[in-house]
Amino acid sequence: MERIYFDHSATTPVDREVAKVMLEYMTEKFGNPSSVHSFGRETRKAVEEARSSVAALLGAAANEIFFTSGGTESDNLALKGIAFANRKKGNHIITTAVEHHAILHACEYLEKQGFTVTYLPVDENAMVSVEDVKNAITDKTILISVMFANNEVGTIQPIKEIGQLAKEKKIYFHTDAVQAVGNCHIDVNELNIDVLSLSGHKIYGPKGIGAIYIRKGVKIESTQHGGSQERKLRPGTENVPGIVGLGKAAELAKIELDQRISHLTNLRDKLINGIQEKISDIKLNGHKEIRLPGNVNISFFYVEGESLLLNLDLKGIAASSGSACTSGSLDPSHVLLAMGLTHEVAHGSLRLSLGRGNTEADVNYCLEVLPQILERLRSMSPLNANSKLAANNPCSQCDHH
Amino acid sequence: MERIYFDHSATTPVDREVAKVMLEYMTEKFGNPSSVHSFGRETRKAVEEARSSVAALLGAAANEIFFTSGGTESDNLALKGIAFANRKKGNHIITTAVEHHAILHACEYLEKQGFTVTYLPVDENAMVSVEDVKNAITDKTILISVMFANNEVGTIQPIKEIGQLAKEKKIYFHTDAVQAVGNCHIDVNELNIDVLSLSGHKIYGPKGIGAIYIRKGVKIESTQHGGSQERKLRPGTENVPGIVGLGKAAELAKIELDQRISHLTNLRDKLINGIQEKISDIKLNGHKEIRLPGNVNISFFYVEGESLLLNLDLKGIAASSGSACTSGSLDPSHVLLAMGLTHEVAHGSLRLSLGRGNTEADVNYCLEVLPQILERLRSMSPLNANSKLAANNPCSQCDHH
Amino acid sequence: MYTEKVMDHFTNPRNVGEIENANGVGEVGNAKCGDIMRIYLDVQDDIIKDVKFKTFGCGAAIATSSMVTELVMGKTLDEALKISNDAVAEALDGLPPAKMHCSNLAADALHEAIKDYISKKGK
Amino acid sequence: MYTEKVMDHFTNPRNVGEIENANGVGEVGNAKCGDIMRIYLDVQDDIIKDVKFKTFGCGAAIATSSMVTELVMGKTLDEALKISNDAVAEALDGLPPAKMHCSNLAADALHEAIKDYISKKGK
Ligand SMILES: Cc1ncc(COP(=O)(O)O)c(C=O)c1O
Ligand SMILES: Cc1ncc(COP(=O)(O)O)c(C=O)c1O
């Protein structure tokens, strides 16, 4: 059976060219960039070239880019590194309720360390209000962290406006752009971004590598201690193949960006429209227009996400869900709940995240299969348009959990 | 010109088989292990198999192995994770003066957080005394961290005895085994090791991946926050190709271990004996017998390490040095100084670290080239056997630094 | 993640549907929790002549519902009452740890349905 | 890391050695710091007729020593005194930042040698 991959927000395949250059830096050019000899010098050069490629994608300077092990580490470094380095200035951080767990759990950790965190609410489209950000600022605020685009529902936040506000108030502005890089035009200067996180494996680059952009002059301290790599901000032998792969992926993202955006937007809209035409009792999650070009997130009433996913998987389609059952936690997606969805609607959410390798045929196949699956699952469900949903009742079975 | 690589302690080439399996997990089997669908399930399986391979190399259980981004992260996690999780029990940590900077700088950070650290001295062979460890223990001691084998001079510490002591005193025992894994027989139970750090790129595996062994029951907390990967101890999308590569490298290390040890020991002794025969005014650094099978570390009086390295490099030989000039710091190797070497002798140290790909011909070529280089450099040096070395004088030019 | 048996019951669930004149109906779970299981019984002379289910929930929830209907079809009420959630999971060759306590409620739904039958009969 | 010019002077250093009857000798650095540079001068009528060096140190230390001897050969003492460490680094097309302050002492050694010549002459 042919497999169709609609889970690019979870991870992307590594581009062939990227893999090829990585292979070269594993077996042939394997030196440690800190070494004085020729093996070291050739990898040092490659690392610095990759740094320039990543910088170019963001409109940054090469010496403002630092390599990490991924989006999670970049997020942790941004939050903790800035919080601890600027503790004397203040202890207040502003973020949103719909951030990735890398941000939310780092914030919870910082709260235990004496910081105060404001988690801004979002509207029904998962959009943060600039006014809310403004009102949350106190004279103790040292950092605002708002994600560029949401990983679940794709909503793109008013980054430029928040950045402008932060700049005026002289507060550092970090954005988790893990989902946005390679999918949106980003210029850190135009958008007033001080610190930005990105991850290799979301842009057809390798897993286990990420980067953080840190505007020159931003006060930040390292969270990992050791050698003097990455100007001591991020010690540890450089992951040269990962870095070189990320550099190549960034290069490709820059070249292909416009083409990717139009291709994905086209497929996305076709998929959304098709589902809306063919299937009733659904809800599109996230902002209608201001969303990631490849993101489709829809709640299908009366069914549960995991069983939907498994049925799609049996038909060869890989997707994702905001259902608690797929997250290993008991509550469904904190993003969907923050948008005001009821638990049962959140449980029935499906995320189809498209990538550059997807085709119209993939979309058509999905539109053929999905209605059949929905019909089957709904026929098995005790819920329907007429059932009194227990959403607002206390959960009588929670002791089973 | 053919290049000879004698810097395996800095990093190793990736094994061909390892690279091959990694490639497969980059372009074909690229799923996120947290995903429910078939792409996710196949990588989840691969990750768990790799975990078992790493566990098997150490005599550990698979669920005692956690993947990190490298040796530095494993060291940081071990020290900070145990220190913070056991703060109520005590605040004293024992380590040695010859640890890698990942340990030493993590300890310095912990000192700023209110912990007290004892840095044990070593003898002229870089060996720690078990008696010293014993005497350093107080009722506040929560952790002993002693490296398995030194990365510069190769000395192997009395791990089993220290582990036994720690066990008796109910103190956690961590060992940085980044250099020892794949070069020494290690069984965590036999050696009474509670926590162990290792790094992929030192054992013909990939850069940017490492692991930490944590004995079941050890109290430790995470240093990075985010998703629930690695049972929440180490969040972030798993570096699947890195993990699979490390698994394969561990598998190979287990199979080839005896063969590697005898091959390397043979070459090492040939190289040491040859240098001792051909070149005067030298000093072998590290323990004569109880040393890493592939480690040669020798100080050549009257010359400086970097110029030695560069000359070797010009002849196609890649090596390393404990000279300050190659470390980016002002002082030469803290390891050589802790062993009691004078600054000028430390400056003239050369490390040749052999690997499984090296041959007798490589050693012979080095033995041919090295005496010529020494002669040339010594003829340019203002120092000689008769010069009054300024070692004990105050450094008159330090304001230039 | 799931065993073959789970996938079999998930893909081809047995006894899906309602029984029009069921003399015992049990429901456990809650949409908020992500799992609702409803079991319909047709009991004759203390023997389960027919059993059907409707379930909103994940793969494990559907498979356990299906499995429990197979296990009790034709059994006496006493035998059916002895079937535990763990026994259902075992009959499926096990469930992932996270699912053991979340979605393994089918036996509870069955017991609720039997209770419903008994209380109705008592009247 | 190093420029081609640095590598050239490192590989083929000019004017290595001692001058037997040097009338000016200067030494800077310290083995402890990892760099010792000694410059020998043969000065005639305020002109540097010959200059040689001996250096213990890294690539940059050897290259700067070599370069400084080239720069001052045949120059007057006044001209030689105007040569700074930075000028030596520049003549080598630059040095890595870490080396600028550590191993770039050759001009200092030269100046010490000139001072030595002047003080000896003064006597
Ligand atoms: C918005 C967002 N932030 C952070 C991360 C974490 O990135 P990584 O898994 O590379 O650590 C992800 C992806 O999982 C993400 O989507
Ligand atoms: C003894 C020792 N510990 C820790 C490390 C750090 O490992 P990594 O560079 O993989 O972070 C190294 C190698 O650089 C090492 O030799």
Side-chain angles (χ1 to χ4, degrees):
Chain A
M1 184 175 58
E2 228 212 302
R3 296 195 296 178
I4 294 174
Y5 190 73
F6 277 166
D7 202 10
H8 291 84
S9 282
T11 194
T12 56
V14 174
D15 176 272
R16 295 261 160 207
E17 262 189 79
V18 169
K20 199 175 141 214
V21 66
M22 286 178 68
L23 195 63
E24 182 185 345
Y25 281 88
M26 289 197 273
T27 53
E28 306 298 327
K29 301 180 178 173
F30 60 82
N32 187 321
S34 299
S35 295
V36 166
H37 47 66
S38 67
F39 293 85
R41 292 195 306 268
E42 73 192 359
T43 54
R44 164 65 51 214
K45 189 161 161 271
V47 165
E48 298 314 324
E49 283 169 8
R51 202 185 303 282
S52 297
S53 300
V54 174
L57 182 62
L58 305 173
N63 64 7
E64 295 174 315
I65 303 295
F66 299 82
F67 294 109
T68 68
S69 68
T72 299
E73 189 185 335
S74 292
D75 282 346
N76 273 261
L77 178 53
L79 265 62
K80 296 176 196 170
I82 288 180
F84 289 121
N86 296 276
R87 202 166 200 165
K88 279 191 190 137
K89 262 180 65 190
N91 72 337
H92 182 234
I93 296 167
I94 298 171
T95 188
T96 82
V98 295
E99 300 294 312
H100 189 269
H101 281 138
I103 296 288
L104 293 178
H105 291 162
C107 282
E108 283 162 24
Y109 167 80
L110 287 171
E111 286 182 291
K112 281 189 212 137
Q113 305 299 314
F115 291 87
T116 307
V117 182
T118 301
Y119 301 91
L120 296 176
V122 293
D123 68 13
E124 70 276 15
N125 296 321
M127 190 73 83
V128 169
S129 125
V130 181
E131 201 56 29
D132 281 354
V133 178
K134 193 172 191 171
N135 293 334
I137 294 173
T138 74
D139 57 358
K140 292 255 176 279
T141 308
I142 49 175
L143 175 65
I144 298 170
S145 179
V146 175
M147 72 198 315
F148 203 111
N150 186 270
N151 46 308
E152 296 190 27
V153 299
T155 302
I156 295 170
Q157 303 295 347
I159 293 303
K160 185 173 181 171
E161 292 74 12
I162 297 171
Q164 179 64 34
L165 182 61
K167 194 175 177 179
E168 281 161 19
K169 303 277 185 179
K170 294 194 167 48
I171 298 167
Y172 291 138
F173 176 45
H174 166 255
T175 187
D176 174 347
V178 166
Q179 293 290 340
V181 169
N183 282 314
C184 304
H185 287 277
I186 300 180
D187 182 301
V188 288
N189 293 315
E190 218 171 86
L191 300 178
N192 309 304
I193 297 166
D194 293 315
V195 185
L196 177 149
S197 306
L198 65 87
S199 183
H201 70 103
K202 310 282 189 188
I203 57 168
Y204 310 99
K207 291 180 176 64
I209 191 79
I212 182 168
Y213 155 78
I214 303 174
R215 182 181 293 283
K216 209 179 160 203
V218 168
K219 238 182 114 183
I220 187 166
E221 61 181 55
S222 68
T223 55
Q224 185 161 303
H225 301 87
S228 46
Q229 294 93 346
E230 297 300 286
R231 285 183 282 147
K232 288 200 180 150
L233 187 68
R234 209 292 187 169
T237 300
E238 294 89 343
N239 176 356
V240 178
I243 288 169
V244 168
L246 178 57
K248 176 55 92 178
E251 217 179 271
L252 293 172
K254 193 171 155 70
I255 296 169
E256 297 175 8
L257 187 56
D258 288 320
Q259 183 190 327
R260 285 189 200 172
I261 291 174
S262 75
H263 175 64
L264 293 179
T265 307
N266 177 34
L267 291 186
R268 175 194 76 190
D269 292 345
K270 201 173 150 64
L271 190 52
I272 292 175
N273 293 335
I275 292 173
Q276 284 173 332
E277 264 167 39
K278 298 192 167 194
I279 305 174
S280 64
D281 294 338
I282 67 169
K283 179 183 181 317
L284 176 67
N285 297 315
H287 197 282
K288 259 205 177 84
E289 286 107 35
I290 311 175
R291 73 187 300 138
L292 284 173
N295 176 287
V296 176
N297 188 308
I298 290 177
S299 286
F300 297 89
F301 306 159
Y302 326 130
V303 304
E304 191 277 334
E306 193 205 76
S307 53
L308 197 50
L309 286 193
L310 287 173
N311 273 292
L312 281 168
D313 186 48
L314 289 166
K315 295 285 186 187
I317 298 174
S320 151
S321 156
S323 165
C325 279
T326 67
S327 66
S329 79
L330 297 178
D331 277 322
S333 151
H334 64 283
V335 175
L336 299 175
L337 296 182
M339 292 162 66
L341 264 66
T342 60
H343 274 72
E344 60 275 16
V345 173
H347 275 298
S349 80
L350 177 72
R351 181 185 72 181
L352 302 161
S353 46
L354 314 181
R356 61 176 196 180
N358 291 133
T359 62
E360 294 229 358
D362 295 347
V363 169
N364 290 334
Y365 176 69
C366 185
L367 287 172
E368 191 188 310
V369 162
L370 201 51
Q372 302 163 11
I373 292 173
L374 259 297
E375 201 186 309
R376 203 175 88 82
L377 282 178
R378 283 178 173 174
S379 78
M380 286 173 60
S381 174
L383 306 179
N384 58 50
N386 303 317
S387 52
K388 312 185 300 300
L389 288 187
N392 300 317
N393 300 348
C395 173
S396 60
Q397 299 289 334
C398 277
D399 52 340
H400 283 284
H401 285 184
Chain B
M1 186 173 60
E2 228 211 300
R3 296 195 295 176
I4 294 174
Y5 190 73
F6 277 166
D7 201 10
H8 291 83
S9 282
T11 194
T12 56
V14 174
D15 176 272
R16 295 261 159 207
E17 262 188 79
V18 169
K20 198 174 142 213
V21 67
M22 287 178 68
L23 195 64
E24 182 186 346
Y25 281 88
M26 288 199 272
T27 52
E28 307 297 327
K29 302 181 177 171
F30 60 82
N32 187 321
S34 299
S35 295
V36 167
H37 48 65
S38 67
F39 293 85
R41 293 195 305 269
E42 73 192 358
T43 53
R44 164 64 53 214
K45 191 161 160 270
V47 165
E48 298 314 323
E49 282 168 9
R51 203 185 303 281
S52 297
S53 299
V54 173
L57 183 62
L58 305 174
N63 64 8
E64 295 174 314
I65 302 295
F66 299 82
F67 294 109
T68 69
S69 68
T72 299
E73 189 185 334
S74 292
D75 281 346
N76 273 259
L77 178 53
L79 266 62
K80 297 176 196 170
I82 289 181
F84 289 122
N86 296 277
R87 201 165 201 167
K88 279 189 191 140
K89 263 180 64 192
N91 73 337
H92 181 233
I93 296 166
I94 298 171
T95 188
T96 82
V98 296
E99 300 294 313
H100 190 268
H101 281 138
I103 296 287
L104 293 178
H105 291 160
C107 282
E108 283 162 24
Y109 166 80
L110 287 171
E111 286 182 292
K112 281 189 212 137
Q113 305 298 314
F115 291 87
T116 307
V117 182
T118 301
Y119 301 92
L120 296 177
V122 292
D123 69 12
E124 71 276 13
N125 295 322
M127 190 73 83
V128 170
S129 125
V130 181
E131 201 56 30
D132 282 353
V133 178
K134 194 174 191 169
N135 293 334
I137 294 173
T138 74
D139 57 358
K140 291 255 176 281
T141 309
I142 49 176
L143 175 65
I144 299 170
S145 178
V146 175
M147 73 199 314
F148 203 112
N150 186 269
N151 46 307
E152 296 189 28
V153 299
T155 302
I156 296 171
Q157 302 296 348
I159 293 303
K160 186 173 180 170
E161 291 75 12
I162 298 172
Q164 180 63 34
L165 182 62
K167 194 175 177 180
E168 281 161 17
K169 303 277 185 179
K170 294 193 167 49
I171 297 167
Y172 290 139
F173 176 44
H174 165 255
T175 186
D176 174 346
V178 166
Q179 293 290 340
V181 169
N183 283 313
C184 305
H185 287 277
I186 301 180
D187 182 301
V188 289
N189 293 315
E190 218 171 86
L191 300 178
N192 308 304
I193 296 166
D194 293 315
V195 185
L196 177 148
S197 306
L198 65 88
S199 183
H201 70 102
K202 311 282 189 187
I203 57 167
Y204 310 99
K207 291 180 176 65
I209 191 78
I212 183 168
Y213 155 78
I214 303 174
R215 182 182 293 281
K216 211 179 159 204
V218 168
K219 238 182 113 184
I220 186 166
E221 62 181 54
S222 69
T223 55
Q224 185 162 303
H225 301 87
S228 46
Q229 294 92 348
E230 298 299 287
R231 285 183 282 146
K232 289 202 178 148
L233 187 68
R234 209 292 187 170
T237 300
E238 294 89 342
N239 177 357
V240 178
I243 289 169
V244 168
L246 177 58
K248 177 54 93 179
E251 219 180 89
L252 293 172
K254 194 171 157 69
I255 297 169
E256 297 176 8
L257 187 57
D258 288 321
Q259 182 189 328
R260 284 189 200 171
I261 291 174
S262 75
H263 175 63
L264 292 179
T265 308
N266 176 33
L267 291 186
R268 175 195 76 189
D269 292 344
K270 202 173 150 65
L271 191 51
I272 292 175
N273 293 336
I275 292 173
Q276 284 173 333
E277 264 168 39
K278 297 193 167 195
I279 304 174
S280 63
D281 294 338
I282 66 170
K283 180 185 181 316
L284 176 67
N285 297 315
H287 196 284
K288 259 204 177 85
E289 286 107 35
I290 311 175
R291 73 187 299 139
L292 284 173
N295 177 285
V296 176
N297 189 308
I298 289 177
S299 286
F300 297 89
F301 305 159
Y302 327 129
V303 305
E304 190 278 334
E306 192 204 77
S307 53
L308 196 50
L309 286 193
L310 287 173
N311 273 292
L312 280 167
D313 186 48
L314 288 167
K315 295 286 186 187
I317 298 175
S320 151
S321 156
S323 164
C325 278
T326 67
S327 66
S329 79
L330 298 178
D331 277 321
S333 152
H334 65 283
V335 174
L336 298 175
L337 296 183
M339 292 162 66
L341 264 67
T342 59
H343 274 71
E344 60 273 18
V345 173
H347 276 297
S349 80
L350 177 72
R351 181 185 71 182
L352 302 161
S353 46
L354 314 180
R356 60 175 197 181
N358 291 133
T359 62
E360 293 229 0
D362 296 347
V363 169
N364 290 335
Y365 176 69
C366 183
L367 287 173
E368 191 189 309
V369 162
L370 200 53
Q372 301 162 11
I373 292 173
L374 259 297
E375 201 185 310
R376 203 174 90 81
L377 283 177
R378 284 177 172 174
S379 78
M380 285 173 61
S381 174
L383 306 179
N384 58 51
N386 304 317
S387 52
K388 312 184 298 302
L389 289 185
N392 298 317
N393 301 347
C395 172
S396 59
Q397 300 289 335
C398 276
D399 51 343
H400 283 284
H401 285 185
Chain C
M1 181 173 76
Y2 287 132
T3 64
E4 263 177 54
K5 274 208 186 149
V6 172
M7 286 311 291
D8 174 32
H9 278 266
F10 171 70
T11 324
N12 305 299
R14 330 307 196 231
N15 308 307
V16 180
E18 300 179 23
I19 297 175
E20 194 118 357
N21 296 311
N23 53 13
V25 179
E27 181 176 311
V28 297
N30 179 303
K32 198 172 165 184
C33 306
D35 288 301
I36 302 179
M37 302 180 184
R38 196 182 291 162
I39 298 265
Y40 302 84
L41 294 178
D42 174 8
V43 184
Q44 313 266 338
D45 301 331
D46 273 10
I47 284 177
I48 295 172
K49 285 284 174 201
D50 197 10
V51 51
K52 287 204 185 303
F53 80 91
K54 281 210 158 184
T55 288
F56 164 92
C58 63
I62 290 172
T64 52
S65 305
S66 165
M67 177 51 90
V68 92
T69 63
E70 271 212 331
L71 289 176
V72 300
M73 187 73 80
K75 293 273 156 65
T76 66
L77 292 186
D78 274 358
E79 286 168 332
L81 280 168
K82 281 185 196 136
I83 289 171
S84 65
N85 288 331
D86 282 354
V88 175
E90 225 170 89
L92 288 163
D93 294 341
L95 288 174
K99 303 285 181 178
M100 278 304 282
H101 299 283
C102 280
S103 314
N104 186 13
L105 308 171
D108 293 348
L110 169 71
H111 300 163
E112 289 296 321
I114 296 175
K115 265 195 245 167
D116 180 53
Y117 164 77
I118 292 170
S119 80
K120 273 179 185 153
K121 200 181 79 168
K123 274 175 207 163
Chain D
M1 182 174 75
Y2 287 132
T3 65
E4 264 177 52
K5 275 208 185 150
V6 171
M7 286 311 290
D8 174 32
H9 278 266
F10 172 70
T11 324
N12 305 298
R14 329 309 194 232
N15 307 307
V16 180
E18 300 181 24
I19 296 175
E20 194 117 359
N21 296 311
N23 52 14
V25 179
E27 181 175 311
V28 297
N30 179 303
K32 197 172 165 184
C33 306
D35 288 301
I36 302 181
M37 301 180 183
R38 196 182 291 163
I39 297 264
Y40 302 84
L41 293 178
D42 174 9
V43 184
Q44 311 267 338
D45 300 332
D46 273 12
I47 285 177
I48 295 172
K49 284 287 175 199
D50 198 8
V51 50
K52 286 204 185 304
F53 80 91
K54 280 211 159 185
T55 288
F56 164 91
C58 65
I62 290 172
T64 51
S65 305
S66 165
M67 178 51 90
V68 93
T69 63
E70 269 213 330
L71 288 176
V72 301
M73 187 73 81
K75 293 273 156 65
T76 67
L77 292 186
D78 274 358
E79 285 168 333
L81 281 168
K82 279 185 197 135
I83 290 170
S84 65
N85 288 331
D86 281 355
V88 175
E90 225 170 90
L92 288 163
D93 294 341
L95 287 174
K99 302 287 182 177
M100 278 302 284
H101 299 284
C102 281
S103 313
N104 186 13
L105 307 171
D108 293 347
L110 169 71
H111 300 164
E112 289 297 321
I114 295 175
K115 265 195 246 168
D116 180 53
Y117 165 75
I118 291 170
S119 80
K120 274 179 185 152
K121 201 181 77 168
K123 273 177 209 164

